[in-house]
Amino acid sequence: MNRLIRAVGTVRSLIQAQLQGRFLRDTLVLQSGQFMLIILQAATTFALIRLLGPALLGIYTLIGSLAALAGLLDITGSQRVTLTQLAKAIGAEDSTEVTRVLAYFLQINLLYNVPLILIFFVAAPQVTRVLYGSPTIGLWAGALAFTQLTDIPTQLIGMVYQARRTMWQLVSYETGKVAIGSLTTLTLL
């Protein structure tokens, strides 16, 4: 019986030590934030289904899917590279390297993603005219893809929060961003 009590005490101590560890705490914060995002996005989707009805929801989904193609064409990997290098620079407290890494991210996005989005913006109406008989769908998809460029500064902010391991701020920031996007979408309809 004493062995069982000691074993339970040891397990309890190990669990308490893990909960006090930064990695597990950060993981729990990120997972709770992800759960909040799922709930928020589900609520937005249900509201869109009710507001738009089947036909308009299909067009809305088509526009979103076409705009997502522009994001798929970004093959730079700049976000992953930047996050890794930024974490190293912040950990080393090297402000020169932090500046260099952030400049790299902006430069890659300006040199690659801006022209990509502009080409998509011009080409999408022509493609949707041929495929669906409606250039308007392509115009909306192009406009939606164009908004991805405005996400570049917000990605930088999120990466800094991640690299500095300030997970509560990251979760609050990301949740706020999605909430504003959801409210904007529902308001514009």
Side-chain angles (χ1 to χ4, degrees):
M1 188 65 157
N2 281 342
R3 283 185 175 174
L4 180 61
I5 292 172
R6 273 189 267 145
V8 168
T10 302
V11 169
R12 175 190 269 168
S13 298
L14 289 172
I15 290 172
Q16 286 175 341
Q18 286 298 317
L19 287 176
Q20 291 175 358
R22 193 168 182 182
F23 176 77
L24 183 60
R25 190 173 51 240
D26 288 351
T27 301
L28 291 173
V29 169
L30 289 174
Q31 290 303 315
S32 67
Q34 190 65 32
F35 182 71
M36 290 296 295
L37 290 177
I38 290 169
I39 290 173
L40 188 57
Q41 289 170 332
T44 302
T45 300
F46 286 125
L48 285 171
I49 290 169
R50 296 287 296 152
L51 288 170
L52 294 176
L56 289 177
L57 182 63
I59 293 171
Y60 175 83
T61 304
L62 177 61
I63 290 168
S65 297
L66 289 171
L69 283 176
L72 289 175
L73 296 174
D74 177 4
I75 57 171
T76 62
S78 63
Q79 202 167 6
R80 288 180 188 225
V81 171
T82 302
L83 181 57
T84 302
Q85 297 304 314
L86 188 61
K88 287 180 185 177
I90 289 173
E93 297 181 8
D94 185 348
S95 60
T96 303
E97 183 65 8
V98 168
T99 303
R100 193 190 69 69
V101 169
L102 293 176
Y104 158 80
F105 180 77
L106 289 174
Q107 186 178 26
I108 287 293
N109 279 283
L110 290 174
L111 292 175
Y112 182 79
N113 289 334
V114 169
L116 176 73
I117 296 295
L118 291 175
I119 291 168
F120 185 83
F121 189 75
V122 171
Q126 311 317 316
V127 171
T128 59
R129 179 191 326 264
V130 171
L131 293 176
Y132 307 108
S134 174
T136 306
I137 292 171
L139 284 171
W140 280 106
L144 187 58
F146 195 73
T147 64
Q148 293 176 13
L149 294 178
T150 63
D151 199 36
I152 293 170
T154 64
Q155 288 175 359
L156 282 173
I157 293 168
M159 283 190 285
V160 169
Y161 283 142
Q162 273 185 289
R164 296 185 71 198
R165 294 187 70 174
T166 51
M167 299 310 169
W168 278 112
Q169 288 89 346
L170 175 65
V171 166
S172 299
Y173 177 73
E174 293 290 337
T175 304
K177 202 168 81 169
V178 170
I180 290 169
S182 294
L183 288 173
T184 301
T185 300
L186 294 173
T187 302
L188 292 175
L189 296 177

